């Protein structure tokens, strides 16, 4: 049975399903969902690129920031948790950098939390004994260190809502194809905007990522002392709910072509929505995670010394300088403002601030 047929059967049995449930099935249904199938997803043969696909420089910058955080925390054992590590390229680059410092590497506990068994097997081939894998965050309760993710939260299934006379939620039905229908939104969805102080104008369509709130709440619970780094595309509330975003931010990616065709290529295309960093900050704070700052990828990398990195490349490998510099330029220029990086902390004092935040960008929560 195809994934489309599976969804149709579910609708026929129980009636229209929420868009959130449709998105979860399309992305994560065992063996057939976009992230659980064996289809190539990342890189030239896939549907999109990530920063680590372009150059190992991003992993080195992340390694530098983790190294600094280890020094700030001031304890020998340092647990690094990567949520959703994709093909494992970023993990590999981070670990290769941290290997240069035996003082931290000897006490490094690098753990990956990965839903997809297909990706987990690919990661194990690349990373071997340098990493352990956990099935859930519960296994890491009481950890000291840093939890980081790169393009994870945008792929959480989201509730889709529309403001009419009252807030309505989008459900998916089937009549000669998938069709949308509206039902009054739950109290939990309504309270989301109340907590953030957001009043949507009539006709405004957007997304609510409750899964992201549950995730950040769990992080606040399991971390005893340390940091959370969330890398993704999105905005704070002040930007996300501007009038020109009144159709929402849901996008699909299939063979490097972006579209808004949510109900095509079910299980074969990525579906994403922009992250609300104000929501992550707000619910993080309610669960013990205080805000360090929100910056963009360009300022993050510049603060950690990407210019110095390029200078060394030019000195040590002048023949390949341009070849290595161009993908870094893509990270700084083309992707530099698109991707944001939220830093949160718990039980840590960092009075001198973090290097990744020392060059202030204009994003305020």
């Amino acid at each position: 049975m195809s994934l489309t047929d599976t969804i149709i059967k579910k609708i026929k049995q129980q009636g229209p399903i929420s868009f959130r449930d449709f998105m979860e099935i399309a992305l994560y249904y065992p063996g057939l969902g976009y992230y659980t199938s064996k289809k190539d997803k990342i890189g030239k043969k896939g549907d999109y690129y990530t920063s680590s696909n372009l150059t190992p420089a991003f992993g080195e910058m992340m390694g530098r920031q983790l190294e600094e955080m280890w020094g700030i925390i001031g304890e020998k054992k340092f647990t690094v948790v990567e949520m959703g590590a994709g093909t494992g390229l970023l993990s590999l680059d981070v670990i290769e950098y941290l290997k240069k410092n035996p003082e931290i590497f000897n006490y490094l506990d690098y753990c990956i939390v990965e839903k997809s068994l297909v990706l987990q097997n690919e990661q194990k081939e690349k990373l071997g004994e340098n990493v352990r894998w956990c099935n859930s965050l519960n296994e890491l309760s009481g950890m000291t260190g840093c939890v980081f993710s790169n393009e994870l939260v945008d792929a959480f299934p989201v509730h889709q809502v529309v403001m009419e006379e009252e807030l309505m939620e989008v459900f998916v039905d089937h009549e000669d194809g998938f069709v949308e229908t509206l039902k009054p939104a739950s109290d939990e969805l309504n309270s989301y905007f109340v907590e953030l102080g957001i009043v949507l104008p009539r006709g405004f369509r957007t997304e609510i990522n409750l899964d992201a709130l549950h995730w950040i709440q769990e992080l606040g619970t399991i971390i005893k002392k340390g940091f959370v780094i969330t890398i993704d595309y999105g905005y704070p509330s002040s930007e996300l709910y501007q009038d020109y975003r009144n159709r929402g931010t849901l996008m699909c990616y299939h063979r490097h072509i972006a579209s808004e065709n949510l109900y095509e290529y079910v299980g074969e295309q990525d579906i994403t929505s922009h992250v609300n960093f104000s929501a992550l900050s707000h619910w993080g704070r309610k669960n013990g995670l205080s805000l360090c700052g929100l910056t963009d990828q360009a300022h993050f990398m510049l603060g950690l010394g990407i210019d110095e990195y390029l200078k060394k490349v030019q000195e040590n490998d002048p023949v390949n300088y341009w070849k290595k510099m161009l993908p870094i330029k893509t990270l700084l220029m083309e992707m530099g403002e698109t991707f944001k990086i939220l830093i949160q902390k718990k039980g840590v004092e960092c009075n001198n601030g973090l290097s990744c935040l020392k060059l202030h960008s204009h994003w305020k929560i």
Side-chain angles (χ1 to χ4, degrees), residues 225-358:
K225 186 177 182 181
F227 297 88
V228 179
I229 303 176
T230 306
I231 307 164
D232 225 314
Y233 47 88
Y235 297 100
S237 293
S238 57
E239 176 66 22
L240 196 58
Y241 303 115
Q242 294 288 338
D243 288 343
Y244 51 82
R245 297 192 191 280
N246 63 7
R247 292 179 59 195
T249 67
L250 278 161
M251 291 295 294
C252 303
Y253 296 90
H254 182 64
R255 296 176 182 171
H256 297 285
I257 296 174
S259 79
E260 297 178 9
N261 301 320
L262 301 170
Y263 306 108
E264 294 183 359
Y265 304 114
V266 178
E268 297 177 22
Q269 66 177 359
D270 195 12
I271 307 174
T272 73
S273 70
H274 280 45
V275 175
N276 184 339
F277 287 105
S278 296
L280 289 181
S281 176
H282 177 79
W283 271 273
R285 189 165 55 250
K286 291 179 72 172
N287 289 274
L289 296 172
S290 57
L291 176 68
C292 294
L294 176 67
T295 189
D296 56 45
Q297 186 167 284
H299 285 86
F300 177 89
M301 295 182 72
L302 288 166
L304 288 163
I306 192 63
D307 49 351
E308 168 204 322
Y309 175 94
L310 282 169
K311 192 179 291 184
K312 284 185 178 178
V313 170
Q314 192 169 28
E315 291 171 357
N316 299 331
D317 192 8
V319 175
N320 293 309
Y321 174 72
W322 288 103
K323 184 180 177 181
K324 292 182 177 181
M325 186 273 286
L326 288 175
I328 293 173
K329 183 180 177 183
T330 299
L331 293 187
L332 294 173
M333 305 294 288
E334 295 175 29
M335 301 165 69
E337 190 171 306
T338 302
F339 284 88
K340 312 297 183 306
I341 301 177
L342 178 72
I343 316 285
Q344 295 162 286
K345 64 179 182 178
K346 181 179 179 182
V348 179
E349 291 296 328
C350 45
N351 298 326
N352 295 324
L354 297 168
S355 292
C356 68
L357 297 172
K358 69 184 179 186

Side-chain angles (χ1 to χ4, degrees), residues 11 109 224:
I11 291 170
D109 174 25
K224 179 183 177 183

Side-chain angles (χ1 to χ4, degrees), residues 71-325:
I72 290 169
I73 290 172
E75 296 186 15
K76 284 188 175 181
K77 185 179 178 182
F78 188 69
T79 299
V80 173
V81 181
E82 184 175 359
M83 300 284 303
T87 61
L89 273 176
L90 181 56
S91 315
L92 185 65
D93 295 336
V94 170
I95 290 168
E96 286 304 309
Y97 174 79
L98 293 176
K99 275 183 178 176
K100 299 172 188 175
N101 183 346
E103 197 174 354
I104 181 174
F105 191 73
N106 290 340
Y107 294 99
L108 179 66
D109 174 25
Y110 201 107
C111 174
I112 292 175
V113 179
E114 178 61 65
K115 274 187 177 182
S116 169
L117 290 176
V118 174
L119 289 173
Q120 197 175 114
N121 288 333
E122 192 171 345
Q123 293 159 11
K124 286 178 178 177
E125 285 182 18
K126 276 193 183 75
L127 303 169
E129 297 178 354
N130 290 317
V131 173
R132 66 186 175 104
W133 282 261
C134 297
N135 293 317
S136 73
L137 285 169
N138 290 332
E139 298 175 41
L140 296 154
S141 184
M143 63 162 282
T144 294
C146 179
V147 178
F148 81 92
S149 62
N150 183 34
E151 294 190 64
L152 172 78
V153 182
D154 67 87
F156 286 174
V158 294
H159 296 267
Q160 205 175 170
V161 295
V162 182
M163 178 56 77
E164 295 195 334
E165 288 185 6
E166 61 178 304
L167 190 66
M168 307 292 285
E169 182 176 4
V170 176
F171 279 71
V172 180
D173 203 350
H174 190 270
E175 299 170 7
D176 298 322
F178 292 118
V179 293
E180 294 183 348
T181 184
L182 300 178
K183 296 184 181 183
S186 66
D187 290 343
E188 189 174 16
L189 294 176
N190 274 286
S191 66
Y192 175 88
F193 291 115
V194 173
E195 288 239 16
L196 292 176
I198 301 297
V199 178
L200 296 181
R202 187 162 181 165
F204 201 101
R205 184 182 183 111
T206 190
E207 305 85 34
I208 297 177
N209 194 337
L210 294 182
D211 284 54
L213 306 191
H214 301 152
W215 173 72
I216 204 70
Q217 288 166 353
E218 191 172 8
L219 291 184
T221 302
I222 65 119
I223 293 173
K224 179 183 177 183
K225 186 177 182 181
F227 297 88
V228 179
I229 303 176
T230 306
I231 307 164
D232 225 314
Y233 47 88
Y235 297 100
S237 293
S238 57
E239 176 66 22
L240 196 58
Y241 303 115
Q242 294 288 338
D243 288 343
Y244 51 82
R245 297 192 191 280
N246 63 7
R247 292 179 59 195
T249 67
L250 278 161
M251 291 295 294
C252 303
Y253 296 90
H254 182 64
R255 296 176 182 171
H256 297 285
I257 296 174
S259 79
E260 297 178 9
N261 301 320
L262 301 170
Y263 306 108
E264 294 183 359
Y265 304 114
V266 178
E268 297 177 22
Q269 66 177 359
D270 195 12
I271 307 174
T272 73
S273 70
H274 280 45
V275 175
N276 184 339
F277 287 105
S278 296
L280 289 181
S281 176
H282 177 79
W283 271 273
R285 189 165 55 250
K286 291 179 72 172
N287 289 274
L289 296 172
S290 57
L291 176 68
C292 294
L294 176 67
T295 189
D296 56 45
Q297 186 167 284
H299 285 86
F300 177 89
M301 295 182 72
L302 288 166
L304 288 163
I306 192 63
D307 49 351
E308 168 204 322
Y309 175 94
L310 282 169
K311 192 179 291 184
K312 284 185 178 178
V313 170
Q314 192 169 28
E315 291 171 357
N316 299 331
D317 192 8
V319 175
N320 293 309
Y321 174 72
W322 288 103
K323 184 180 177 181
K324 292 182 177 181
M325 186 273 286

